[in-house]
Amino acid sequence: MSKSPLEKRPHLIPAIVATLMLLGALGRWPYGYYQLLRLVTCGAAIWIAVLAYQWQKIWATWLFGIIAVLFNPLMPIHLSKELWQLIDAICAILFIVIIFVLEKPREEKREGR
């Protein structure tokens, strides 16, 4: 039986939403958009980091853990607009890449059960 895309990649929707918001941040928005961007990106990054840890993909755990800290809404990091735009673009690319690279490991079938 074939698994649905969301069963193999439960991070698909949060990663897509974060990607779209990060790309949208390259435009001009009220400050509230950037506050929501921090919340959404941090949440998606935490979710991906947790899944990566469970699936023993330590490199992804570290990478998305750093993204979560960078975008955390509780203690915002203040950088120039130009630097944030570069970070937003890089993180959008990383979210796109992780959609295709990170996949739930196949469960091995146990005989006799």
Side-chain angles (χ1 to χ4, degrees), residues 51-65:
L51 290 175
Y53 180 78
Q54 290 174 349
W55 299 341
Q56 300 176 354
K57 305 291 184 193
I58 302 306
W59 63 270
T61 303
W62 277 101
L63 180 62
F64 283 86

Side-chain angles (χ1 to χ4, degrees), residues 12-22 37 40-41 44:
L12 180 67
I13 292 173
I16 290 172
V17 171
T19 299
L20 293 174
M21 287 198 70
L22 286 163
L37 174 70
V40 168
T41 304

